[in-house]
Amino acid sequence: MKTHRLTFAFQLFVTLLAAAFLMVPAGASILAGFTANYFRGVSSGLTLDWVKQVLALYSDTIWLSIGIALGTLAATLVLAVPAAWALVRRPSRLARIVEEVVTLPVAVPGLALALALILAYGAIREFRMSPAFILTGHVLYTLPFMLRAVMAVLAAVDIRSLEEGAASLGASPLQRFFHVVLPNAKGGILAGALMVVTLSIGEFNLTWMLHTPLTKTLPVGLADSYASMRLEIASAYTLVFFVMIVPLLLALQLFGRTTGSAR
Amino acid sequence: MHSADRLARLFLLPLFLFVAAFFLLPMVRLVGVAGSGPNGMAEYVAILTNPRHFATLVATLALSAAVTAATLAIGTVVALFLARNRFWGRPLLVSCLTLPLAFPGVVVGFMVILLAGRQGLLSSLSMGLGMGRWVFAYSMAGLFAGYVYFSLPRVLVTLMAAVEKLDPALEEAARSLGAGRFEVLRDVTLPGIAPALMASGAIAFATAMGAFGTAFTLATRIDVLAMTIYTEFTLNANFATAAALSIALGLITWAVLALSRNLAGGGVAAAG
Amino acid sequence: MTAPTGAAISIAGCGKTYPDGTRALSPVDLEVKAGETLVLLGPSGCGKTTLLRLIAGLETPDAGGRIAFDGADVTALPIEKRNVGMVFQSYALFPNMSVIDNVAYGLRVRGVATAARRAQAASVLTMMRIEALAERRIDQLSGGQRQRVALARALAVRPRVLLLDEPLTALDAALREHLRSEIDALLRRLAITAVYVTHDQAEALALGDRIVVMKNGAIAQVGTPREVYFRPADDYVAGFVGITNRLEGIVRNGRFETAAGILPVAAPDRAKAHLLFRPEAVRLVSPAEATLVFQVAQVEFQGPRQRVTLNAGDGARIIAEAPADLDLAAGAAIGLALDANRYTLA
C-alpha cells in the first residue's frame, strides 16, 4: 500500500520521537554511570569507579535478587506446569474458575497484595524476616504468567489428541505427562520462565512493602540509591540492573518473534 | 474414577493450596482489617466521603485516563507505521521501542528524572536555548511521562501484532469501494484493531491506577492513590484506611480489566 | 437494478517489478472488450494476481505501462478513484458492519443518504437472493453466503469493471460448482466487464468469454475457452488445461510423420515437431480407414464412456475417450481420426 508522503513523514516523526523518549534517558543513565562528574559532563572523564562503588555497596542486593528470581522460577514451575496441563485437558467451569482466581493477583495492585500478605502473615517473625516472604509475593505475582504461557502452548498443540494417542499405546497418565505433555510444552515453559525471571528481578511494588533492612532486592536498593545517592552512583547501579535484565528482555523478544510466527 | 482425572486433581492441589493460603486468606484478612478501624465499615466509603481521599481518587483517575489516551494515540500511530513500512533499521527501531517492556516502575521513575529532573536532559537543553529551566519530573506531569514510558512498549507490542494480523484485503476492499485514506482508517483499520486497543488500553489504565514505583521514585508529594495508601500504612500506621483504600483500588482495576475483557474478548492481564 | 455499463479495458506495456527486484510481471499488452468476462488463468506466482491488481489500481505499473478504461487513462488513479468492484479471495467483509452495511458501504463513502443507500443495497441483496441475511453479522455467515455478500458489495456501487480474485477458492467443491454457475449467469445478465483470476481450469473454461493463460509473469496464450482447450499454444498451456496427448514426429511434404503413422497437416516442413490433442478430440475407427494406427494397451470402463490407453510404435502412450458401446480388446489394433481444428502442431 502506498502511503501518502505527509502521513509518512508524520508517522516517522512520532515513531522516532517515541523511540527517543524511551531510549535517550536510558542512554543518559548508562553514560552517567561511567562519567566522573555528570554535572560537568563527559569532559570530566570516564571512570569505572561508580560501578565499583555500587558493587561494593550493593552486591548483596544483586545476589538476593538472583536467588529470589531462581527460587520464584522453581516454585512457579512446580506449581503451574502440572496445573496447566490439568486445566487444559478438561476445560470445565471449575477449570475456568481456578484460572480466574490464579490470575487475580495480577489484576490486584501490588500494593494491596503486599498489604494483605503483611496483615495475614506479618506476625510470624521468622517468615516476615526471611527472603521467603518476598519470594512468596513474587510467586503469587508471576504464577499467572507461567500458567498462561504453558496453557497457551498446550491448547495450540492439541495436547488431548496427543495424549489419547499415547494412551492407546499403553502409556499411564504419569508417563503421558512426562513423555508427551512436558516435551510438547517446552516452548511455553521456556517463554514463561523468561517472563517469570524478568518480572521477579524487576519487581518493586510488592517487594518494597515486603522487604526488611536485611532482605533488600536490587530494585529496592535502586530506590534507595535514587533517594539518597549522587546521580552517578544511581546511574551506575541502574547500569548493573540493565546488564542483568536486558539480555532477558532480548531473549524474550527473540523468542516471542519465533513462537509468534509459528502460531 | 479415571486415573488421569485423579492425577489432574493431584496436580491442581498444590496450586490451589498456595493460592488459598497466600492470596485468598490474606485478601479476606485485608477486608477484615479495613472494616475494623475506628470508623468500622464506614471506612469503605471514606474514599468517597473524605474530601482529601476523594480528590486523590479523582486525580488518579484523571491521570490514568490521560496516560491511557496518550499511550494509545502514540501507540496507534507508531504501530501502523512500523507494521506497514519496511525499511533499513526497522528491526532496531522495534527493539528500541519494545525493550523497556519490563523496566520496573522505579527505574522508569529514574528515567524521568534523567529526562526532566534538576540535572535532566530537558533542563540543560532548555537552559542552553535560553528558555529557562524545564523541570517537571517531580510533579503530576513527571508521573504522566513515567506512566507513558512504562505502558508504551506493552501497548506497542499488542497493537503491532493486531495490525499485522489485520487482513490487508480489508483495507483494499474499502478502497475499491471508493473510501479515502481517512475513511479507511475510521471504518476499517481502527475497528479492526479495536479489541487490541481495548485490551492494551485497559492494561495501561490499570497500571497507571495502581503503579507505585514510579511515584515513589519521583516524589512522595504527588497525591495519587498508591502514594496515599503507602503513606497511610507506613507513616501513619493507619491500617484500616490503607486496607480500605487498597481494596477500592483493587476493585477499580479489576473492574476495568474485566470490562475490557468482556468487550474485547481476549486475554488481558495487568502488570506492575 | 439496471445493468451497469461495462468499460473496455486497454492495457499497454504494463509490467511490475517490486522494490526488492522481483519481477512479478513482464510488460504485457491486453485488451478487454466492454461487457466481456476475461479469465486470467495460471498457477500461483504466474503474475495473474499482479495483473489484476494493476487493473484495480492497487499496484502501479513500472514506467511505460498504461491502463485505460474506455480510452481514458487511469494509470495514475488509485483504486478508490477508478470505480471498480472487487471481490477478494478472503472476501474481506468488514466484521464491524452488518451485511447490509457492508453492501451499502461504497454508497456511504460516495455520500448517498442513509435511506437511499439502504434501499439500493437491499435491492442488490434481493438480486443475489440473500435479502434475508441483511441484518446478520459477518461471523454468522457460511462461506457461500459470504461469497454472495462480497459479490453484492462489489456490485452495489455499479462498477465499470468487476474484478474477482480467486473468489471461489475458499469454498468446498460442491458449493464451488454451484456458485460458479450462479456467477456465470449473473455476469451474463449484467453484461458487466469482468476480469476473473483463478488457478482452476474448470472455472476458467466455464466462465470465460476469453481466457488468458499466464506463465512466469507473461502471457502464454489468449483465446476463447475452445481455442485454449483444443488448440493450446504450447506444451505449457496444454499441460495446464486438462489431459493432453503428445506425439513426436517430423513434418514433411504436408504430412506429420510419427511412429503410429501419418497425418496430413497444413504446415511447412520441420525436422522436429509434436502433435498435441485431447483424449476426447479423437475418434476411434477401424485400422483400415485410418492413417494413424495404435495398439490397445488398456481399457477402463467408466459408464457413459470408456478410457482407452493406446501404444504408439515408439513406446509413446496416448489416452483416448471412446463411446461405451465400442468393442475394444487389449492387444487389438485400432485406427485414430483427428479433425484439423482439434489439435495443435508445435
Side-chain angles (χ1 to χ4, degrees):
Chain A
M1 177 175 160
K2 229 173 59 177
T3 315
H4 197 262
R5 199 165 289 165
L6 237 136
T7 321
F8 182 87
F10 170 71
Q11 287 184 316
L12 179 67
F13 177 72
V14 173
T15 305
L16 290 178
L17 206 63
F21 172 58
L22 295 175
M23 281 297 115
V24 167
S29 122
I30 292 170
L31 195 65
F34 288 128
T35 306
N37 186 330
Y38 185 66
F39 190 66
R40 281 181 23 224
V42 185
S43 55
S44 63
L46 296 177
T47 174
L48 279 173
D49 284 356
W50 305 123
V51 177
K52 282 183 199 146
Q53 279 196 40
V54 164
L55 292 179
L57 280 167
Y58 293 109
S59 64
D60 52 336
T61 67
I62 299 168
W63 291 116
L64 183 66
S65 269
I66 293 175
I68 287 183
L70 293 179
T72 306
L73 175 60
T76 50
L77 285 176
V78 170
L79 290 172
V81 175
W85 167 75
L87 291 174
V88 168
R89 66 179 289 275
R90 196 152 290 189
S92 64
R93 267 184 82 84
L94 183 75
R96 277 235 311 284
I97 293 171
V98 171
E99 196 194 340
E100 194 63 32
V101 171
V102 173
T103 314
L104 262 180
V106 184
V108 174
L111 213 52
L113 211 58
L115 224 54
L117 273 174
I118 292 171
L119 291 171
Y121 294 104
I124 309 172
R125 263 192 71 80
E126 291 73 24
F127 186 37
R128 178 75 183 88
M129 301 304 288
S130 84
F133 201 55
I134 298 175
L135 181 78
T136 305
H138 283 203
V139 174
L140 209 52
Y141 172 58
T142 55
L143 257 181
F145 293 93
M146 180 65 87
L147 195 73
R148 282 254 170 94
V150 179
M151 282 177 75
V153 167
L154 288 181
V157 299
D158 189 13
I159 198 66
R160 289 167 74 189
S161 330
L162 289 180
E163 251 195 280
E164 282 165 10
S168 75
L169 298 168
S172 75
L174 206 59
Q175 283 173 323
R176 269 150 31 204
F177 181 74
F178 283 106
H179 297 162
V180 176
V181 177
L182 281 188
N184 280 294
K186 219 166 47 191
I189 294 174
L190 192 59
L194 278 171
M195 196 71 203
V196 164
V197 171
T198 310
L199 287 175
S200 171
I201 285 188
E203 213 301 320
F204 176 79
N205 288 353
L206 277 167
T207 318
W208 180 259
M209 303 291 283
L210 299 181
H211 88 277
T212 67
L214 292 176
T215 55
K216 281 189 183 176
T217 64
L218 207 167
V220 170
L222 277 175
D224 260 0
S225 75
Y226 294 159
S228 57
M229 293 288 172
R230 55 183 296 164
L231 193 72
E232 289 84 352
I233 292 198
S235 292
Y237 199 4
T238 309
L239 180 71
V240 171
F241 174 72
F242 281 161
V243 168
M244 289 172 66
I245 201 133
V246 166
L248 288 167
L249 289 171
L250 286 176
L252 261 176
Q253 269 188 6
L254 212 68
F255 200 73
R257 209 169 295 147
T258 49
T259 51
S261 57
R263 238 168 258 155
Chain B
M1 193 171 78
H2 206 274
S3 62
D5 287 339
R6 261 205 311 269
L7 187 69
R9 292 203 178 189
L10 192 69
F11 278 180
L12 277 177
L13 193 65
L15 181 73
F16 174 77
L17 289 178
F18 182 85
V19 171
F22 295 111
F23 178 62
L24 297 179
L25 190 86
M27 278 300 161
V28 171
R29 182 95 178 94
L30 189 69
V31 173
V33 168
S36 68
N39 302 327
M41 288 299 167
E43 202 60 58
Y44 279 113
V45 285
I47 195 168
L48 298 175
T49 53
N50 179 324
R52 203 162 49 81
H53 289 166
F54 185 69
T56 305
L57 175 69
V58 171
T60 313
L61 285 170
L63 173 69
S64 305
V67 167
T68 308
T71 313
L72 288 184
I74 301 169
T76 305
V77 173
V78 175
L80 284 174
F81 178 74
L82 289 175
R84 292 289 159 70
N85 294 290
R86 292 288 177 272
F87 49 86
W88 185 88
R90 179 184 171 277
L92 183 73
L93 203 54
V94 172
S95 278
C96 285
L97 285 162
T98 52
L99 196 65
L101 188 75
F103 283 9
V106 256
V107 173
V108 171
F110 187 57
M111 296 295 117
V112 173
I113 290 177
L114 284 172
L115 194 69
R118 274 179 287 273
Q119 296 184 52
L121 295 162
L122 285 180
S123 158
S124 26
L125 191 71
S126 57
M127 291 284 275
L129 293 173
M131 295 163 71
R133 174 172 266 209
W134 290 358
V135 176
F136 61 82
Y138 315 98
S139 66
M140 228 25 152
L143 205 52
F144 172 80
Y147 289 162
V148 171
Y149 192 109
F150 191 89
S151 286
L152 192 56
R154 258 164 251 270
V155 167
L156 261 179
V157 167
T158 314
L159 290 185
M160 269 165 61
V163 174
E164 257 152 33
K165 239 174 44 193
L166 209 62
D167 182 0
L170 281 175
E171 297 188 354
E172 293 176 354
R175 292 178 60 204
S176 79
L177 295 166
R181 205 169 303 284
F182 167 73
E183 284 149 332
V184 172
L185 185 68
R186 182 196 60 194
D187 299 331
V188 178
T189 315
L190 290 182
I193 61 170
L197 285 171
M198 286 281 208
S200 55
I203 294 174
F205 188 86
T207 307
M209 283 297 295
F212 164 65
T214 311
F216 182 81
T217 306
L218 290 180
T220 39
R221 286 196 318 250
I222 308 173
D223 277 326
V224 286
L225 217 45
M227 285 313 295
T228 309
I229 294 171
Y230 175 71
T231 319
E232 290 290 342
F233 184 77
T234 41
L235 304 182
N236 305 343
N238 196 344
F239 294 170
T241 307
L245 286 178
S246 57
I247 288 168
L249 180 59
L251 282 177
I252 294 172
T253 43
W254 175 80
V256 168
L257 291 174
L259 187 72
S260 92
R261 195 152 53 149
N262 276 348
L263 291 176
V268 175
Chain C
M1 185 172 162
T2 56
T5 40
I9 308 169
S10 158
I11 298 155
C14 281
K16 181 70 191 174
T17 310
Y18 285 105
D20 63 357
T22 335
R23 170 157 251 192
L25 191 68
S26 311
V28 298
D29 300 299
L30 192 64
E31 299 288 331
V32 189
K33 299 182 203 99
E36 163 181 58
T37 301
L38 185 83
V39 176
L40 305 179
L41 174 69
S44 65
C46 71
K48 59 187 192 299
T49 298
T50 304
L51 183 53
L52 187 80
R53 291 171 69 87
L54 286 174
I55 299 171
L58 287 168
E59 309 279 359
T60 40
D62 296 340
R66 184 177 172 279
I67 297 170
F69 287 0
D70 276 341
D73 193 332
V74 296
T75 317
L77 288 184
I79 185 169
E80 56 265 34
K81 303 272 171 57
R82 287 197 188 182
N83 196 18
V84 295
M86 190 153 179
V87 178
F88 293 81
Q89 187 173 355
S90 62
Y91 309 138
L93 297 174
F94 309 130
N96 50 313
M97 302 178 197
S98 67
V99 166
I100 190 142
D101 288 341
N102 261 280
V103 175
Y105 184 75
L107 302 167
R108 182 176 142 201
V109 295
R110 281 168 174 73
V112 178
T114 311
R117 68 175 187 246
R118 279 184 76 88
Q120 229 170 306
S123 79
V124 181
L125 290 178
T126 309
M127 179 184 78
M128 301 289 299
R129 284 171 305 174
I130 46 172
E131 61 272 27
L133 304 177
E135 300 303 330
R136 291 269 191 95
R137 284 207 324 262
I138 299 307
D139 56 12
Q140 295 171 318
L141 302 181
S142 72
Q145 290 170 334
R146 283 174 202 218
Q147 213 283 324
R148 285 194 183 88
V149 175
L151 200 53
R153 184 178 69 177
L155 289 171
V157 296
R158 303 191 183 183
R160 308 164 71 193
V161 172
L162 182 65
L163 306 167
L164 305 105
D165 186 8
E166 306 245 8
L168 300 178
T169 303
L171 304 170
D172 64 69
L175 194 56
R176 200 154 58 216
E177 206 150 309
H178 177 69
L179 279 169
R180 189 177 76 199
S181 60
E182 242 180 58
I183 291 179
D184 190 36
L186 189 73
L187 292 179
R188 296 211 182 273
R189 188 149 52 92
L190 297 178
I192 188 173
T193 311
V195 181
Y196 188 111
V197 161
T198 183
H199 66 268
D200 179 10
Q201 47 137 335
E203 252 172 71
L205 295 171
L207 284 170
D209 290 321
R210 284 190 303 152
I211 296 175
V212 178
V213 186
M214 299 191 62
K215 172 195 186 181
N216 295 338
I219 293 176
Q221 184 177 8
V222 183
T224 65
R226 271 163 225 282
E227 284 166 358
V228 170
Y229 189 75
F230 287 116
R231 310 196 59 186
D234 57 22
D235 281 358
Y236 170 81
V237 176
F240 195 74
V241 189
I243 303 170
T244 305
N245 292 312
R246 181 190 165 106
L247 287 175
E248 306 278 349
I250 58 168
V251 181
R252 193 158 52 192
N253 304 331
R255 303 191 316 180
F256 175 71
E257 301 180 1
T258 180
I262 56 148
L263 184 74
V265 291
D269 287 6
R270 215 184 304 174
K272 200 165 191 281
H274 54 263
L275 196 68
L276 301 168
F277 57 96
R278 303 287 174 195
E280 62 277 23
V282 306
R283 277 175 296 117
L284 296 183
V285 295
S286 145
E289 302 166 22
T291 54
L292 288 169
V293 179
F294 294 82
Q295 189 189 30
V296 178
Q298 197 185 356
V299 181
E300 191 181 308
F301 182 65
Q302 292 180 329
R305 59 185 176 275
Q306 45 193 339
R307 170 167 287 194
V308 191
T309 310
L310 303 172
N311 276 339
D314 60 353
R317 287 191 155 204
I318 65 163
I319 291 173
E321 282 192 358
D325 53 3
L326 191 66
D327 201 12
L328 292 164
I334 190 87
L336 190 142
L338 200 54
D339 291 339
N341 58 354
R342 292 251 166 150
Y343 61 80
T344 301
L345 187 66

